[in-house]
């Protein structure tokens, strides 16, 4: 599958959602990221693939981690980068976000990396723009590069996703990371369990092909990887659970829970982590944690995405 | 005395359960008795192959004037109405200012007379400023031409206010039209709460938000003994509740829109804001229940829920885009597709939901071809195939999910008071 995909070109102009990708395309991105990582480890962190190209980070929602990662990824590919952080929505600025994007594009941008608090906003932009659009997180819809880097990290540790059981734990309702993980993991043959308080599990999510649990202790024994989704206090309207202490008691990953899990369980978290809420410090810093590997891998996954989109542009 | 003969059409008049091929004669703006012979009429319309029915009535249309004439004016909205086959429309009071005084109701009537397209009957506000707190001056609004009362898309959440509104409107023998929805259950919502809202990460609006309010409104109608009309019913349980209430004699009626019959929440996968409507598009199961309700008469009115918005208001992030689509010019073809071609309704039933049903709701004498009635007549070509082209709409706005849709059936003539307006 991956061999065949490597021989043919990358045709997709935009990366908007893992839902859209074939398994072979996901493998192709992961393989490309692995090559970048290998070269970096061999002392060649920089590539000239995007020399003379411009990558714009258009962030309509605050971000430090993802924007920094995209910025460095573009620089490692020798692209010029511009950052545009728009505070607030179209309405507060008096300019529509489409006009904002058209303005930035007119500066000669080749790839637009877009983060927005509204689901579908990058898709809408892709219909109005000529450049490549890369979704860096759209509201509670998808965050494809985060999903890819989570999967890359698991694949790196385990060789393959097929047959693994991955539990996504926490605030599923407000999590774009959960949605991208579900699509990507399912396409690569993993079993997915979503686990969290009933108030933070969206309706009919089982129809996406996942199992639903409200009891972390029940699922631990059969889980190979636990991805701890942050409780997104900023997206919640009112209280979805009675207290942080009760949340931590029911769904927090503690050292004791790790000891009751599979011996080689992997602990992931997309971050930023709330220590003492979804994860205790001993687990975050412990031997099962691959949280910082995720951050490292994020750079290579984003280099892979940028270079493949550029390939599609060059072919077009 | 001007005379008009409409020749050779299929006359469908639900008020008298008439469905026959006959000529229809109009004398001096009124329907003449059957068999009336006019020598050398002033105008002859050849209606061969056409349905000749009472002028269609849309009980609730947003015309956006005054206050939002970038979206629509009374002139453009009534032009859209006659192009869609409507001879009378109820005008929603959700303008700026709100139609909550006699003067504002009279402004609507005056602008409609100036436009001279179709009849416009104002709906007055139930509460001042649509704030849901104090009753508007309903009797004075009636003096200004208002025929019924509604707070538009703003649910009246306070049950005591709603109880008094029903009692007071009941005293005046007018209906209250309500948007049944519990506000806190749909806060920040964009679409139906279900599989697709989960998949797309868009905030959901559960059907229960409607069902809870439908149950409350039925209880208050029972308590007050007054009439309530539930606008834009969209959920299966709502239809069941309304049916049961009607069976035990509660004065509750309800309407449905064509787009809630034609489209499901899956359409939002495109993130196209033209699928963002309130109540939200739901699932096939709900659509089937709505069709059942139309068949057995539980739902006796079809409304376009015409909500024009200018392009710049629709080109925003989907959570900022206002709810609603234009509908006046697509009611007939979408009803043909969803109700006639599928065999769910007869033409007689469909036309009754667009004539006698809304006429009863608003207390109008029109909606029939009885001898002596005002000659409001719509000519429908039931079989013509065409493609909806939003750029040709008479409405000032283009926000429709049906642009480019291949459809069948449309209004080809609209006669208001004996004068051809389309």
């Amino acid at each position: 599958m991956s061999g065949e995909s490597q021989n043919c070109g990358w045709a997709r102009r935009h990366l908007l959602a893992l839902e859209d990708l074939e398994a072979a395309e996901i493998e192709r991105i992961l393989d490309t990221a692995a090559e970048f990582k290998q070269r970096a480890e061999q002392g060649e962190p920089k590539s000239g693939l995007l020399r003379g190209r411009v990558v714009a980070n258009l962030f309509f929602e605050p971000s430090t981690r993802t924007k920094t990662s995209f910025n460095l990824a573009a620089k490692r590919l020798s692209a010029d980068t511009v950052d545009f952080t728009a505070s607030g929505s179209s309405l507060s600025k008096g300019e529509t976000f489409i006009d904002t994007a058209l303005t930035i594009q007119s500066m000669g941008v080749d790839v637009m990396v877009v983060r927005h608090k509204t689901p579908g906003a990058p898709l809408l932009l892709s219909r109005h723009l000529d450049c490549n659009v890369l979704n860096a997180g759209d509201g509670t819809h998808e965050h494809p590069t985060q999903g890819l880097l989570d999967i890359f990290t698991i694949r790196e540790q385990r060789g393959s996703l097929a047959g693994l059981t991955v539990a996504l734990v926490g605030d599923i309702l407000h999590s774009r990371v959960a949605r991208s993980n579900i699509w990507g993991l399912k396409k690569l043959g993993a079993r997915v369990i979503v686990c969290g308080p009933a108030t933070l599990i969206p309706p009919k999510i089982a129809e996406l092909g996942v199992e639903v649990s409200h009891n972390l202790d029940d699922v631990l024994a059969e889980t190979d990887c636990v991805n701890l989704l942050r409780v997104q206090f900023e997206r919640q309207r009112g209280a979805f659970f009675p207290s942080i202490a009760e949340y931590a008691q029911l769904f927090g990953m503690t050292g004791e829970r790790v000891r009751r899990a599979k011996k080689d369980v992997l602990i992931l978290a997309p971050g930023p982590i709330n220590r003492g809420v979804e994860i205790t410090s001993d687990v975050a810093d412990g031997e099962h944690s691959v949280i910082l590997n995720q951050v490292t891998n994020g750079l290579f996954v984003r280099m892979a995405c940028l270079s493949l989109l550029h390939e599609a542009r060059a072919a077009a | 005395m001007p005379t008009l003969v409409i020749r050779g059409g299929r006359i469908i008049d639900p008020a008298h359960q008439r469905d026959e091929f006959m000529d229809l004669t109009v004398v001096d703006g009124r329907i003449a008795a059957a068999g009336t012979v006019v020598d050398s009429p002033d105008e002859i319309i050849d209606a061969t192959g056409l349905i000749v029915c009472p002028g269609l009535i849309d009980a609730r249309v947003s015309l956006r004037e005054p206050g939002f004439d970038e979206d629509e004016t009374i002139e453009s909205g009534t032009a859209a109405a006659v192009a869609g086959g409507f001879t009378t429309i109820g005008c929603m009071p959700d303008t700026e200012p709100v139609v909550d005084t006699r003067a504002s109701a009279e402004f609507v009537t005056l602008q409609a007379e100036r436009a001279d397209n179709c009849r416009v009957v104002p709906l007055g506000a139930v509460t001042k400023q649509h704030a849901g707190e104090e009753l508007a001056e309903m009797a004075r609004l009636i003096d200004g031409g208002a025929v019924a009362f509604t707070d538009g898309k703003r649910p009246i959440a306070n049950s005591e206010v709603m109880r008094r509104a029903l009692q007071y409107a009941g005293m005046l023998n007018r209906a209250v039209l309500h948007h049944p929805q519990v506000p806190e259950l749909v806060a920040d919502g964009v679409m139906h709460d279900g599989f697709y809202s989960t998949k797309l990460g868009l905030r959901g609006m559960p059907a229960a938000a409607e069902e809870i309010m439908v149950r409350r409104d039925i209880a208050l109608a029972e308590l007050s003994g007054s009439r309530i009309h539930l606008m834009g019913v969209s959920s299966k349980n709502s239809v069941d509740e309304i049916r049961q209430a009607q069976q035990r004699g509660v004065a509750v009626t309800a309407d449905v829109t064509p787009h809630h019959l034609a489209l499901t929440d899956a359409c939002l996968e495109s993130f196209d804001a033209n699928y963002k409507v309130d109540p939200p598009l739901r699932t096939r199961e709900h659509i089937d229940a709505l069709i059942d309700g139309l068949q057995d008469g539980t739902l006796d009115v079809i409304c376009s829920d015409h909500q024009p918005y200018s392009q710049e208001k629709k080109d925003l992030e989907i959570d900022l885009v206002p709810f609603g689509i234009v509908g006046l010019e697509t009611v007939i073809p979408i009803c043909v597709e969803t109700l006639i071609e599928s065999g769910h309704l007869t033409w007689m039933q469909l036309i009754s939901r667009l004539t006698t049903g809304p006429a009863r709701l608003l207390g109008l004498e029109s909606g029939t071809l009885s001898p002596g009635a005002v000659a409001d007549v719509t000519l429908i070509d039931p079989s013509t195939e065409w493609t909806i082209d939003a750029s040709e709409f008479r409405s000032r706005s283009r926000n429709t999910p049906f642009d480019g849709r291949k459809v069948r059936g449309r209004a080809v003539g609209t006669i208001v008071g004996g004068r051809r307006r389309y």
Side-chain angles (χ1 to χ4, degrees), chain B residues 270-406:
Chain B
S270 65
F271 289 99
D272 184 337
N274 285 323
Y275 296 107
K276 183 183 172 186
V277 294
D278 180 22
L281 303 173
R282 301 202 194 273
T283 62
R284 190 69 235 173
E285 182 195 15
H286 291 289
I287 291 175
D288 290 342
L290 295 174
I291 290 172
D292 286 348
L294 277 170
Q295 282 176 328
D296 70 9
T298 303
L299 309 176
D300 66 344
V301 179
I302 293 173
C303 290
S304 68
D305 198 8
H306 185 76
Q307 301 275 336
Y309 288 103
S310 58
Q311 185 65 38
E312 59 269 23
K313 292 181 187 172
K314 280 290 188 184
D315 271 346
L316 303 174
E317 295 88 331
I318 195 163
D319 49 354
L320 300 178
V321 170
F323 289 97
I325 61 174
V326 291
L328 281 168
E329 293 170 79
T330 53
V331 167
I332 291 175
I334 301 303
C335 285
V336 168
E337 175 188 315
T338 56
L339 296 170
I340 298 291
E341 291 191 332
S342 53
H344 294 308
L345 291 193
T346 62
W347 272 104
M348 179 74 78
Q349 288 172 312
L350 172 60
I351 290 168
S352 81
R353 309 295 183 262
L354 291 163
T355 55
T356 50
R360 252 194 323 270
L361 169 63
L362 301 180
L364 307 175
E365 288 175 4
S366 55
T368 172
L369 298 176
S370 306
V374 291
D376 290 357
V377 184
T378 298
L379 307 178
I380 296 171
D381 183 335
S383 55
T384 184
E385 290 180 25
W386 60 294
T387 300
I388 294 171
D389 179 354
S391 70
E392 290 183 354
F393 281 172
R394 306 258 178 128
S395 170
R396 193 168 272 198
S397 290
R398 307 277 179 259
N399 50 312
T400 176
F402 298 121
D403 191 29
R405 197 174 181 101
K406 288 189 169 46

Side-chain angles (χ1 to χ4, degrees), chain B residues 151-311:
Chain B
D151 273 0
K153 294 290 184 182
R154 309 262 299 258
I156 299 169
N158 183 320
S159 299
E160 178 61 17
V161 172
M162 187 55 146
R163 176 194 188 186
R164 292 178 193 171
L166 289 170
Q167 289 172 324
Y168 203 83
M171 170 185 84
L172 300 168
N173 199 24
R174 306 292 164 137
V176 170
L177 287 69
H178 192 225
H179 180 51
Q181 201 169 65
V182 177
E184 53 270 30
L185 280 174
V186 300
D188 301 328
V190 171
M191 65 178 294
H192 174 62
D193 190 57
F195 171 72
Y196 285 98
S197 66
T198 289
K199 178 168 178 282
L200 302 172
L202 290 169
R203 193 96 78 192
M205 304 164 75
E210 177 179 308
E211 294 154 5
I212 292 167
M213 196 60 101
V214 164
R215 290 184 185 117
R216 183 207 74 167
D217 285 351
I218 288 170
L220 291 176
E222 251 174 322
L223 178 65
S224 62
S226 298
R227 283 160 68 196
I228 190 158
H229 177 81
L230 302 170
M231 299 188 287
V233 161
S234 66
S235 121
K236 176 180 185 299
N237 288 344
S238 299
V239 178
D240 292 343
E241 292 285 341
I242 294 163
R243 181 181 292 117
Q244 288 167 26
Q246 287 171 345
Q247 282 166 358
R248 61 177 192 273
V250 183
V252 56
T253 55
D255 68 64
V256 66
T257 80
H259 48 275
H260 284 96
L261 304 173
L263 305 170
T264 68
D265 60 344
C267 295
L268 267 301
E269 283 209 277
S270 65
F271 289 99
D272 184 337
N274 285 323
Y275 296 107
K276 183 183 172 186
V277 294
D278 180 22
L281 303 173
R282 301 202 194 273
T283 62
R284 190 69 235 173
E285 182 195 15
H286 291 289
I287 291 175
D288 290 342
L290 295 174
I291 290 172
D292 286 348
L294 277 170
Q295 282 176 328
D296 70 9
T298 303
L299 309 176
D300 66 344
V301 179
I302 293 173
C303 290
S304 68
D305 198 8
H306 185 76
Q307 301 275 336
Y309 288 103
S310 58
Q311 185 65 38

